Amino acid sequence: MDPLSLLAQTPHRRYNLLLGEWVLVSPQRNQRPWQGKVESVTSNQSPSYDPDCYLCPGNQRARGVRNPAYTSTFVFDNDFAALLPAAPPVSIDQDNLLIAESERGICRVLCFSPQHNLSLGQMKKPAVVSVVDAWAQQYAELGALDWVNHVQIFENRGLLMGASNPHPHCQIWANATIPNLPQREERHQQEFLQRHGHCLLCNYLELERKEKVRVVLENANFVALVPFWAVWPFETLVLSTRHCATLPDLAPQERHDLAGILIRLTHLYDHVFGVPFPYSMGFHQQSTDGREHPGSHFHAHFLPPLLRSATVRKFMVGYELLAAPQRDVTPESAAEILRNALSAS
Ligand SMILES: [Zn+2]
Ligand SMILES: [Zn+2]
Ligand SMILES: [Zn+2]
C-alpha cells in the first residue's frame, strides 16, 4: 500500500507549508460512508431589492449617507470602520511586557451587485468579471498609498460567518502593518524560494495537477483544490497557474477565468448540503510595502465551517484552541465530495 493510503487510515499530522505549522488528521474517526446531502433547508427567498437593506441602491445608510442608484459594483468607506486613516502615532513598551502601537488603516465595503438576493455563484460571468476588476482597482488604489503596506480583501458569507447582511458584498481592509497570517505566508514563500530556487505555490500546483486527487476544479488559468494541509473540512485554495503576485497583474483572460472558477466553486459549495454554503474567503496578494516579494504567489482561500450537514459545523475548540488544528475527513475525501457535489444533488 502506498504511504498516502496508509496515512488515510492512521492518525497523522500534515505540514502547512504556507503557515509553517502542523495540522492533525484523524481519518479513523471518519469511517462512516459519506451519505451526500443530509438535509435541505429552503433556499433564500429574499427579494431582489430590500427597502431596509443599507447596501441596496438608493437606500440610506446608518449615518444618513444615501447610496447612489448603482448598477454594477459599488465601493464606499465603511461607516463603522475597524481602522482609521488618521489614527495618531502612539506606542508603548513597558518593561518589554506591555507592547502596543496605534494602527492606521482604511476599511471599505464593496457591493458585488445591486441585486440584493444574488451570490457570487448565481451572478452572470460578466458581472463577476466586474467584481474582479473592482478588487484589482481597490488593491492598486489602496496599495499605492505610501503608508499602506497590506490590502486584505475578504468576504464573510452567511449568518454562520457573522455576515450581518445577505446582500452580496465583501470588505477591504488596508493596513499600515502586514497582518499576522499574510506575513507568515509571505515569509514562508520567500524562504522556500531562497532554499529551493522555485516558487512554493508554482511547485505545489504542479504536483497537485499531476496527482489530481485533491483538485476540485480547473480552467486554463486557475485551479481550485483542497490543500494537502487543509484545516476546515471543505477548505479550498484557488491558485493562478501562471506565477503572479496580485490581482492587477491578471490579464483580461485571466480575470475572466478567475470569475469563472469562483462562480463554479461557490456553486459547487451550495450543492454539497443543498444550502447556501457559509464561508469566509479572501485573497492573499503581495504586500504593498514597496519591497520585492518574488516568492509571493497570488491565491484565494475559501474557509467554510460546515462539516456534515447544513446544521453540523466544525468548531475550533479544545485541542485546536490549546494545541493544534485537527480534522477527521481527509483532504482527499473532501476533494472527492466537492467534485461530486453537483452530480450527487
Ligand atoms: Zn440589499
Ligand atoms: Zn508561483
Ligand atoms: Zn494565503
Side-chain angles (χ1 to χ4, degrees):
M1 201 184 266
D2 69 283
L4 188 63
S5 305
L6 278 173
L7 284 181
Q9 302 165 9
T10 315
H12 63 279
R13 60 183 198 147
R14 298 187 181 198
Y15 189 63
N16 181 335
L17 284 164
L18 283 171
L19 289 175
E21 64 178 31
W22 296 88
V23 51
L24 188 62
V25 185
S26 314
Q28 79 287 357
R29 294 217 304 193
N30 198 51
Q31 299 291 355
R32 295 174 280 178
W34 177 255
Q35 295 183 337
K37 189 159 76 178
V38 178
E39 57 195 285
S40 185
V41 173
T42 46
S43 61
N44 180 7
Q45 296 294 330
S46 52
S48 61
Y49 168 76
D50 178 353
D52 296 324
C53 168
Y54 64 91
L55 298 175
C56 275
N59 289 359
Q60 196 167 317
R61 300 206 303 273
R63 295 204 162 141
V65 183
R66 193 169 286 282
N67 295 329
Y70 66 96
T71 55
S72 174
T73 59
F74 169 54
V75 187
F76 61 93
D77 284 338
N78 197 320
D79 299 308
F80 300 98
L83 291 160
L84 300 168
V90 191
S91 67
I92 59 167
D93 181 347
Q94 196 179 323
D95 307 329
N96 301 316
L97 295 171
L98 307 182
I99 299 164
E101 57 188 27
S102 58
E103 175 74 15
R104 293 174 75 193
I106 296 172
C107 296
R108 290 183 176 165
V109 176
L110 167 62
C111 296
F112 297 160
S113 161
Q115 217 174 308
H116 182 79
N117 58 352
L118 287 183
S119 65
L120 270 185
Q122 295 164 328
M123 286 168 64
K124 296 264 186 288
K125 199 185 279 185
V128 179
V129 172
S130 298
V131 175
V132 173
D133 288 339
W135 285 331
Q137 160 69 21
Q138 288 300 310
Y139 171 85
E141 185 184 313
L142 292 165
L145 297 172
D146 60 357
W147 58 271
V148 167
N149 293 321
H150 179 76
V151 179
Q152 185 61 55
I153 298 171
F154 65 98
E155 178 193 5
N156 289 325
R157 184 192 183 202
L159 273 177
L160 219 47
M161 302 312 289
S164 53
N165 188 328
H167 195 113
H169 71 285
C170 74
Q171 301 190 54
I172 303 162
W173 292 19
N175 280 54
T177 61
I178 306 170
N180 301 342
L181 297 177
Q183 191 176 66
R184 276 168 71 188
E185 289 196 358
E186 202 154 54
R187 191 178 79 234
H188 286 107
Q189 289 181 89
Q190 193 54 35
E191 285 172 3
F192 189 96
L193 179 66
Q194 274 158 2
R195 193 169 309 144
H196 304 289
H198 295 283
C199 163
L200 190 167
L201 288 177
C202 279
N203 268 21
Y204 176 62
L205 185 58
E206 197 182 316
L207 180 151
E208 290 289 17
R209 292 176 93 184
K210 225 177 284 163
E211 299 220 328
K212 291 191 168 63
V213 63
R214 283 169 296 271
V215 172
V216 177
L217 289 171
E218 61 183 309
N219 59 33
N221 289 300
F222 284 90
V223 175
L225 54 85
V226 180
F228 182 73
W229 52 81
V231 168
W232 293 95
F234 296 99
E235 174 176 342
T236 53
L237 194 60
V238 178
L239 294 161
S240 58
T241 54
R242 179 175 70 86
H243 180 84
C244 62
T246 68
L247 281 157
D249 286 346
L250 300 179
Q253 185 56 44
E254 291 173 316
R255 294 180 188 209
H256 194 264
D257 284 351
L258 175 58
I261 205 157
L262 293 178
I263 291 170
R264 284 170 65 204
L265 182 60
T266 50
H267 188 68
L268 212 51
Y269 273 137
D270 286 352
H271 281 79
V272 173
F273 299 120
V275 290
F277 214 70
Y279 59 74
S280 280
M281 74 80 78
F283 297 104
H284 279 152
Q285 308 181 69
Q286 178 174 278
S287 300
T288 59
D289 56 1
R291 296 202 199 117
E292 293 288 313
H293 298 279
S296 291
H297 188 124
F298 171 73
H299 61 278
H301 296 273
F302 276 82
L303 308 167
L306 293 185
L307 177 60
R308 294 219 133 259
S309 73
T311 51
V312 179
R313 61 162 296 174
K314 173 181 176 61
F315 286 97
M316 288 283 211
V317 293
Y319 192 81
E320 277 129 338
L321 287 181
L322 291 153
Q326 185 270 342
R327 63 180 293 139
D328 292 346
V329 57
T330 62
E332 293 74 30
S333 310
E336 192 183 347
I337 292 164
L338 281 170
R339 277 194 302 268
N340 296 332
L342 267 178
S343 46
S345 64

